[in-house]
């Protein structure tokens, strides 16, 4: 038996700034050393290899790669132009454009950070040009681009599916309605908040000709999620194969059809994604070893007993879990948070009758919103860097948007059909 | 003296990290092609290939570990940095960074020790490829050994900052 004290070591190591990878390796090692059970380190070590040796995980670098080609291949302009023709005439039009663009971007890249950078670089100066407050522009960009990891395909949904052995296709389909709900909620907040900025300029409604032209220009990039989801759902491809096909499609689109990306720029992107994906994959492997230590320590049982001592009511449990995950998301990135907490928390919820896919999507949405919450939200940092507005100022203005997102999290927690209704309808669950 | 050591370590680490990441990028290209080949052979030609699954997995493992030195040098390891940010501009931050890098080296040493044992046990052959598993098991301990040099370079850099000796920028480009 490993002493559950290693969980405390893990937290201390994380809090002093030790990277997640080393905290995952060191904490169980210290506990095993204390318990004089160093031989078990063999098993932990093997996970550094076996924890990564999975065909499904290949989808992670592939989705990242497809997103990289898309972002650098000129889709941002097309998506934003299309969004402008659809929603610019409403009150706070450019705010709506950011939200709609972020929603569509989510379906193309699966990365919130890439979306914040790409949309922010174009839209924040544009909004300022039409008398929007720069801080407001940065805040709405950060709040909206969390949709990147919620609207499928999503890297962190893939990680959850891998860790919890759930269907990737069902996870992806389950993310669609919550993503659209968040999009709607953010638009409502924008409509309400924009009253504080009466100086912003209004736009005319786009004519049918302008809309059709913008739609035509955006059609090819927007086919990417159709290929991915259609391919997986139709049983044509496995998720990994669909991701590889998406890479090929994004490459052909960016280099040969839209001709924005130069062929000589392609290999450096492969290298960049190899590095970024490598950093995540090694953590996935280390987390697999950590999960073995968790199961051997019995700490999961203690945590389960703790939660059940509070309540066994599924709704109340969901409420408490959401608060817990929201706090975790404020400090920890979504990927590592899922790797560490999903194997502990998901069984607690499934024991009281919550579907693991339902819980997984709520967890993903919650931790994605955490990317935009102070003090450690990665998306906030990027929005601050892109806009030049200090983090503290954005953190204040973003609050109404975060409240709306929190309400959506509770809504999808307590009404499962909003999450798993679509995949059930399609016969995937 | 410290500057000399840092320069020497950088002269070793930068090219190694860069070459590792290039090869990693190359492996990602090959992985993509292999999986696309798998799609074509299975769904178009109706002749599934037996080796594509295993080969692409092995390439992914190598890709991740080959990039490890650059991940370390570019500080791409995910961490909770609020304490470090609170200590910005303070000397104690450099002391903390030295402790963190030392802990990373300890973790690497543990992994390398058990990784080497695992490597020695890898006499079995791969399921579909004409190689022993040792070829694959070698990746983590080998690349971690190289990454220790990156951690040592970071320690020397932080030590120089702690002693107020100024610092050269060490941004390793890919």
């Amino acid at each position: 038996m490993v002493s559950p004290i290693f969980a405390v070591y893990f937290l201390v190591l994380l809090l002093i700034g030790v990277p997640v990878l080393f905290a995952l390796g060191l904490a169980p090692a210290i506990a095993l050393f204390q318990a004089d059970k160093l031989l078990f380190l063999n098993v932990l070590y093997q996970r550094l290899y076996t924890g990564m040796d999975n065909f499904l995980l290949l989808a992670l670098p592939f989705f990242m790669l497809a997103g990289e080609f898309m972002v650098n291949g000129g889709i941002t302009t097309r998506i934003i132009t299309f969004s402008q023709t659809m929603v610019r005439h409403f009150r706070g039009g450019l705010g709506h454009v950011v939200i709609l663009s972020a929603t569509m971007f989510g379906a193309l890249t699966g990365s919130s950070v890439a979306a914040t950078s790409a949309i922010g670089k174009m839209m924040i100066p544009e909004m300022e040009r039409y008398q929007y407050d720069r801080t407001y522009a940065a805040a709405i960009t950060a709040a909206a681009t969390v949709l990147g990891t919620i609207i499928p395909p999503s890297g962190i949904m893939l990680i959850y599916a891998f860790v919890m052995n759930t269907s990737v296709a069902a996870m992806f389909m389950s993310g669609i309605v919550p993503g659209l709900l968040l999009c709607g909620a953010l638009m409502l907040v924008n409509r309400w908040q924009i009253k504080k900025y009466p100086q912003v300029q209004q736009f005319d409604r786009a004519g049918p000709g302008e809309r059709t032209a913008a739609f035509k220009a955006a059609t090819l990039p927007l086919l990417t999620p159709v290929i991915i989801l259609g391919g997986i759902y139709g049983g044509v491809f496995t998720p990994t194969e669909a991701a590889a096909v998406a890479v090929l499609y994004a490459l052909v689109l960016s280099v040969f059809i839209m001709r924005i990306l130069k062929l000589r720029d392609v290999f450096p992107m492969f290298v960049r994604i190899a590095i970024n994906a490598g950093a995540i994959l090694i953590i996935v492997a280390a987390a697999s070893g950590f999960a073995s230590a968790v199961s051997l320590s019995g700490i999961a049982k203690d945590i389960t007993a703790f939660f059940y001592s509070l309540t066994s009511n599924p709704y109340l449990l969901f409420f408490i879990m959401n608060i817990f995950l929201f706090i975790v998301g404020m400090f920890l990135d979504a990927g590592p948070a899922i790797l560490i907490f999903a194997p502990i928390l998901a069984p607690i919820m499934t024991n009281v009758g919550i579907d693991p896919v339902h819980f997984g999507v709520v967890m993903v949405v919650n931790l994605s919103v955490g990317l935009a919450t102070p003090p450690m939200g990665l998306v906030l940092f990027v929005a601050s860097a892109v806009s030049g507005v200090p983090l503290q100022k954005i953190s204040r203005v973003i609050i109404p948007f975060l409240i709306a997102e929190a309400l959506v999290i509770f809504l999808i927690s307590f009404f499962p059909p909003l999450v798993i209704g679509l995949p059930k309808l399609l016969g995937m669950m | 003296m410290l500057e000399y050591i840092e320069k020497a370590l950088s002269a070793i680490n930068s090219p190694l990290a860069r070459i590792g990441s290039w090869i990693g990028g190359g492996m990602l290209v090959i992985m993509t092609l292999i999986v696309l080949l798998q799609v074509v052979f299975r769904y178009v030609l109706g002749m599934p290939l037996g080796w594509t699954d295993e080969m692409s997995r092995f390439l992914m493992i190598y890709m991740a570990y080959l990039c490890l030195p650059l991940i370390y040098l570019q500080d791409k390891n995910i961490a909770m940095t609020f304490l470090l940010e609170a200590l910005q501009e303070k000397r104690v931050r450099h002391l903390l960074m030295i402790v963190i890098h030392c802990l990373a080296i300890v973790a690497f040493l543990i992994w390398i020790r058990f990784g080497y044992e695992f490597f020695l046990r890898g006499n079995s052959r791969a399921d579909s490829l004409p190689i022993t598993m040792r070829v694959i098991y070698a990746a983590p301990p080998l690349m971690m050994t190289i990454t220790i040099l990156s951690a040592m370079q970071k320690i020397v850099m932080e030590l120089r900052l702690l002693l107020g000796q100024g610092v050269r920028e060490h941004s390793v480009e890919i």
Side-chain angles (χ1 to χ4, degrees):
Chain A
M1 195 75 157
V2 183
S3 166
I5 192 81
F6 84 94
V8 178
Y9 298 152
F10 177 68
L11 277 179
V12 171
L13 289 169
L14 276 188
L15 288 172
I16 63 167
V18 174
V20 176
L21 171 65
F22 305 116
L24 286 169
L26 281 173
I30 299 167
L32 287 167
F33 178 75
Q34 284 179 325
D36 203 16
K37 287 188 176 150
L38 280 175
L39 273 180
F40 184 71
L41 275 173
N42 258 321
V43 181
L44 244 62
Y45 171 77
Q46 281 176 27
R47 298 298 174 111
L48 271 186
Y49 163 76
T50 55
M52 208 194 291
D53 187 20
N54 190 299
F55 190 67
L56 178 63
L57 281 177
L58 263 89
L60 199 65
F62 290 161
F63 281 137
M64 291 168 80
L65 200 52
E68 181 83 356
F69 291 149
M70 286 284 184
V71 171
N72 292 290
I75 61 146
T76 318
T77 319
R78 292 178 186 225
I79 295 293
I80 289 177
T81 307
F82 176 54
S83 303
Q84 278 183 340
T85 62
M86 299 304 289
V87 292
R88 71 181 184 202
H89 55 282
F90 293 116
R91 194 162 57 195
L94 291 186
H96 294 315
V97 171
V98 168
I99 296 163
L100 189 60
S101 303
T103 309
M104 285 191 262
F105 230 81
L108 298 171
T109 68
S111 159
S112 298
V113 174
T116 316
S117 174
I119 295 174
K121 273 179 195 161
M122 279 192 75
M123 284 306 293
I124 295 172
E126 183 78 353
M127 288 174 84
E128 206 174 15
R129 195 150 71 92
Y130 290 99
Q131 314 302 322
Y132 283 76
D133 177 66
R134 196 173 181 82
T135 309
Y136 184 77
I140 199 167
T141 305
T145 45
V146 298
L147 284 162
T149 44
I150 297 167
I151 302 269
S154 153
I156 54 174
M157 277 190 190
L158 190 85
I159 291 176
Y160 179 90
F162 168 69
V163 174
M164 296 312 300
N165 205 18
T166 57
S167 153
V168 177
M171 286 292 294
F172 280 2
M173 282 294 173
S174 301
I176 293 175
V177 174
L180 295 177
L181 280 173
L182 281 168
C183 171
L186 291 174
M187 283 184 170
L188 284 176
V189 176
N190 174 48
R191 203 180 155 81
W192 165 52
Q193 286 290 301
I194 206 70
K195 288 177 189 166
K196 292 182 188 168
Y197 310 97
Q199 76 280 12
V200 300
Q201 287 188 27
Q202 280 297 115
F203 291 86
D204 294 334
R205 182 190 288 267
E210 196 183 348
R211 276 190 180 170
T212 311
F215 177 71
K216 272 186 185 165
T219 303
L220 285 176
L222 287 175
L223 275 178
T224 315
V226 177
I227 292 171
I228 296 171
L229 294 180
I232 300 172
Y233 171 60
V236 181
F237 309 127
T238 64
T240 305
E241 290 166 348
V245 172
V247 170
L248 180 68
Y249 180 73
L251 183 68
V252 170
L253 202 62
S254 311
V255 177
F256 300 108
I257 297 175
M258 299 202 285
R259 294 173 185 223
I260 304 279
L261 205 61
K262 300 276 177 290
L263 214 47
R264 64 170 179 270
D265 299 329
V266 171
F267 184 66
M269 288 181 190
F270 272 96
V271 176
R272 201 153 51 232
I273 295 302
I275 296 163
N276 293 343
I280 300 171
L281 288 167
I282 296 175
I283 293 179
V284 170
S288 167
F290 186 80
S292 308
V294 167
S295 67
L296 265 172
S297 70
I299 196 170
K301 275 185 191 165
D302 295 341
I303 295 174
T304 307
F306 168 73
F307 275 107
Y308 288 153
S309 72
L310 298 174
T311 177
S312 58
N313 180 315
Y315 294 105
L316 265 176
L317 265 180
F318 232 141
F319 184 83
I320 297 165
M321 287 282 178
N322 274 319
I323 302 286
F324 174 73
L325 288 172
F326 202 76
I327 295 167
V328 169
M330 286 166 78
F331 297 97
L332 196 58
D333 252 19
I338 286 175
L339 287 165
I340 296 160
F341 292 108
I344 300 171
L345 301 182
I348 299 175
M349 299 308 286
T350 49
N351 273 349
V352 291
I354 305 293
D355 188 278
V357 171
H358 178 204
F359 177 69
V361 171
V362 173
M363 188 172 190
V364 164
V365 174
N366 196 321
L367 293 169
S368 298
V369 171
L371 292 171
T373 52
M376 296 303 297
L378 196 57
V379 160
L380 272 186
F381 285 120
V382 179
S384 171
V386 170
S387 65
V389 178
L391 198 74
Q392 293 81 353
K393 282 178 83 177
I394 305 176
S395 301
R396 273 197 301 274
V397 179
I398 203 172
I399 288 171
F401 293 102
L402 292 179
I403 292 172
E405 289 179 329
L407 289 174
V408 171
I409 291 170
F410 285 116
L411 190 70
I412 60 168
S413 300
F414 302 139
F415 295 98
L418 292 174
V419 179
I420 50 177
L422 186 59
K424 275 193 171 166
L425 198 69
L426 295 169
M428 299 164 93
M429 291 176 71
Chain B
M1 178 65 180
L2 284 176
E3 189 181 357
Y4 175 75
I5 296 171
E6 191 187 345
K7 273 183 186 168
L9 284 168
S10 176
I12 301 166
N13 288 332
S14 298
L16 276 178
R18 206 177 299 124
I19 291 166
S21 65
W22 285 347
I23 301 173
M27 287 182 163
L28 184 54
V29 175
I30 300 169
M31 273 156 60
T32 313
L33 292 174
I34 287 174
V35 177
L36 287 172
L37 201 68
Q38 174 173 313
V39 171
V40 171
F41 269 79
R42 179 177 299 166
Y43 301 110
V44 182
L45 303 175
M47 295 188 301
L49 299 169
W51 52 271
T52 50
D53 184 305
E54 188 174 53
M55 185 160 177
S56 51
R57 279 187 282 116
F58 288 172
L59 283 169
M60 177 175 64
I61 292 166
Y62 254 96
M63 176 199 83
Y65 285 104
L66 277 167
C67 293
L68 189 59
L70 199 81
I71 291 167
Y72 203 100
L73 280 179
Q74 288 190 340
D75 294 320
K76 280 187 181 281
N77 279 309
I78 300 167
M80 284 167 66
T81 52
F82 61 92
L83 180 61
L84 289 165
E85 265 150 38
L87 297 173
Q88 202 73 263
E89 312 289 328
K90 292 187 178 134
R91 277 194 164 189
V92 69
R93 181 183 196 277
H94 305 302
L95 197 63
L96 182 58
M97 283 307 299
I98 291 170
V99 173
I100 289 171
H101 290 305
C102 287
L103 287 170
I105 289 177
V106 173
F108 280 139
L109 288 173
I110 296 170
W111 282 329
I112 289 165
R113 193 212 147 194
F114 288 95
Y116 181 66
E117 283 181 14
F118 194 53
F119 163 77
L120 291 178
R121 290 200 303 272
N123 290 323
S124 59
R125 294 192 77 79
D127 291 337
S128 61
L129 300 171
I131 53 167
T132 64
M133 290 308 289
R134 275 189 180 182
V135 177
I136 311 304
Y137 294 165
L142 185 67
M143 294 316 295
M144 283 175 180
T145 308
I146 293 172
T147 311
I148 284 182
L149 291 175
S150 303
M152 286 163 69
Q153 182 185 329
K154 292 268 182 188
I155 289 173
V156 178
M157 188 184 84
E158 295 294 342
L159 207 56
R160 288 184 62 209
L161 280 167
L162 183 70
L163 299 173
Q165 291 184 5
V167 75
R168 220 158 31 94
E169 278 299 316
H170 284 296
S171 173
V172 182
E173 300 298 330
I174 54 175

